[in-house]
Structure formats: C-alpha cells, structure tokens
Amino acid sequence: MHFGILVFPGTNCERDCLHVLNDVAGQTSALVWHLQTDLSAFDAIIIPGGVAHGDYLRTGAVTRFAPVMYAVAEFAGLGKP
C-alpha cells in the first residue's frame, strides 16, 4: 500500500508516520504538501496531529481551506481510507 501523509504549517508527527510506515511496517509513503491537489498516487491518506484543539496559531483554519483538502474529500468519496 502507498500512503500519503499530509503536511500543513503547524502539523506534527508527519516524519514519525513516514518512519513507521516505511521502516517499520514495510509500506511506502510520501509527504504531501498542503498545496498539492493530486492524490491519485496513494491508496490511503494520513492526516497527522497538530491541526485541531488548542489551535492558537489557527492551523485548523488553514487546514480547512487548503487545496489538498478538496482532493481529500474527493479521495474519501471514492471510498479510499
């Protein structure tokens, strides 16, 4: 399986996810910058932490309207995890 790991300004643990998927679980994964709009290369998408509660830097607001989130909605609409 090939995983896409989303990266937004203010997220955390994306490199941890990359390490675990590639080096521990033996899967392939790549970091996906929040401005990308094509997720067709991936079988699953991971949204790491840092974009929810206690959002003093408004990371959640940035995340909500990032171009990649429209692609995530389409991705989910296809039934992909």
Side-chain angles (χ1 to χ4, degrees), residues 1-5 17-19 21-22 27-31 42:
M1 233 175 147
H2 188 52
F3 292 83
I5 304 164
C17 292
L18 190 73
H19 164 68
L21 288 167
N22 292 349
Q27 302 298 312
T28 61
S29 63
L31 299 177
F42 303 106

Side-chain angles (χ1 to χ4, degrees), residues 1 11 28 33 41 55 66 70 72 74-75:
M1 233 175 147
T11 54
T28 61
W33 188 237
D55 182 12
Y70 298 101
V72 168
E74 290 177 14
F75 191 87

Side-chain angles (χ1 to χ4, degrees), residues 5-8 10-19 31 48-49:
I5 304 164
L6 303 188
V7 180
F8 300 90
T11 54
N12 58 49
C13 299
E14 63 271 359
R15 300 231 178 250
D16 296 331
C17 292
L18 190 73
H19 164 68
L31 299 177

Side-chain angles (χ1 to χ4, degrees), residues 36-60:
Q36 287 184 235
T37 57
D38 183 7
L39 300 177
S40 62
F42 303 106
D43 301 307
I45 298 297
I46 294 176
I47 304 175
V51 296
H53 308 289
D55 182 12
Y56 300 108
L57 300 176
R58 302 297 292 150
T59 309

